[in-house]
Amino acid sequence: MSFTEIRFPENISYGSTGGPEFSTDIVTTHNGCEQRNINWSCARARYNIAYGIRSNEQIQELITFFHARKGKAIGFRFKDWSDFTAINQEIGIGNNEKIIFQLIKIYISEKDKHVRVIKKPVHDTVKIYLNGAETKKYSVNYSTGEITFTKPPVKDAIITASFEFDIPVRFDTDYLNASIDNYGSCSWNNIPLVEVKFS
């Protein structure tokens, strides 16, 4: 899958709309009861970046970025300003053997818990702690979100992480349909992005 680690311009993403989307089929029986079938165990984010464009300079920046990604063809990083941090997130427990741990973010609502795998942490934002004490004895794969320790954390050591993260996305269109509003300026109603899922 074609993907570049380049981040979409933050000055445009800041004005975008969107967020997580699930897929649920609802079947209504003859007496009005519902049967809900969950198709996806994890959400897939969608965004519309058209509302973030506020100047001709941003228009040109967007067009250049779109050409470089060849429409839907090449994925890229995107900052979701509504959800881009994890603080003191537990990512594992040591067992004297395992050295690789995946960054995650857990969403908890009373007894319900949803685990989100984080594949695109932001450079120079990751901090790792063992039993609450910060450690430097690890490396970060910023393309996969994996943390690799130089030696296995000791048994029962609680491993936590604080970090910022991006969402891997692609354009969900091969066509930029611009409206020419005035001489030298144009706008869009919809420029969709969709999250890219990695196996």
Side-chain angles (χ1 to χ4, degrees), residues 129-157:
Y129 304 86
L130 296 176
N131 289 330
E134 186 174 359
T135 178
K136 301 291 186 181
K137 297 180 179 180
Y138 65 91
S139 61
V140 183
N141 186 325
Y142 289 97
S143 296
T144 66
E146 290 181 331
I147 304 297
T148 302
F149 288 92
T150 55
K151 64 178 182 179
V154 298
K155 182 175 175 59
D156 296 329

Side-chain angles (χ1 to χ4, degrees), residues 3-195:
F3 191 89
T4 177
E5 296 296 331
I6 295 173
R7 178 190 271 182
F8 184 80
E10 290 183 51
N11 62 339
I12 301 177
S13 66
Y14 187 73
S16 63
T17 63
E21 175 189 43
F22 283 93
S23 174
T24 306
D25 292 329
I26 299 177
V27 178
T28 304
T29 63
H30 66 278
N31 62 357
C33 295
E34 288 184 350
Q35 174 67 46
R36 291 182 291 275
N37 300 314
I38 300 172
N39 298 321
W40 300 347
S41 60
C42 296
R44 187 183 192 189
R46 289 187 176 275
Y47 305 96
N48 180 5
I49 58 173
Y51 302 109
I53 302 170
R54 295 173 291 274
S55 68
N56 286 335
E57 290 75 15
Q58 289 176 324
I59 289 173
Q60 294 308 312
E61 191 173 11
L62 170 65
I63 292 172
T64 299
F65 195 92
F66 186 80
H67 276 284
R69 306 290 91 74
K70 304 184 186 305
K72 297 179 181 179
I74 301 173
F76 50 92
R77 287 172 171 259
F78 181 82
K79 183 173 183 176
D80 181 342
W81 288 87
S82 67
D83 186 9
F84 66 93
T85 60
I87 306 296
N88 295 326
Q89 177 63 69
E90 184 176 324
I91 63 171
I93 298 177
N95 63 0
N96 285 325
E97 296 180 3
K98 186 177 179 181
I99 63 170
I100 298 177
F101 294 83
Q102 178 69 50
L103 288 178
I104 59 173
K105 182 172 182 178
I106 301 176
Y107 301 82
I108 299 175
S109 177
E110 296 187 2
K111 294 182 180 180
D112 295 318
K113 181 173 72 172
H114 176 72
V115 178
R116 181 182 195 175
V117 176
I118 303 299
K119 297 283 190 177
K120 302 297 177 183
V122 177
H123 281 265
D124 300 324
T125 69
V126 179
K127 294 183 178 180
I128 302 297
Y129 304 86
L130 296 176
N131 289 330
E134 186 174 359
T135 178
K136 301 291 186 181
K137 297 180 179 180
Y138 65 91
S139 61
V140 183
N141 186 325
Y142 289 97
S143 296
T144 66
E146 290 181 331
I147 304 297
T148 302
F149 288 92
T150 55
K151 64 178 182 179
V154 298
K155 182 175 175 59
D156 296 329
I158 298 175
I159 306 161
T160 56
S162 295
F163 53 91
E164 295 183 8
F165 60 94
D166 290 329
I167 310 300
V169 301
R170 62 167 172 80
F171 286 102
D172 200 21
T173 181
D174 278 324
Y175 175 45
L176 280 184
N177 185 15
S179 171
I180 309 302
D181 302 320
N182 297 293
Y183 181 77
S185 68
C186 54
S187 63
W188 291 269
N189 290 324
N190 185 39
I191 306 173
L193 304 181
V194 63
E195 183 176 358

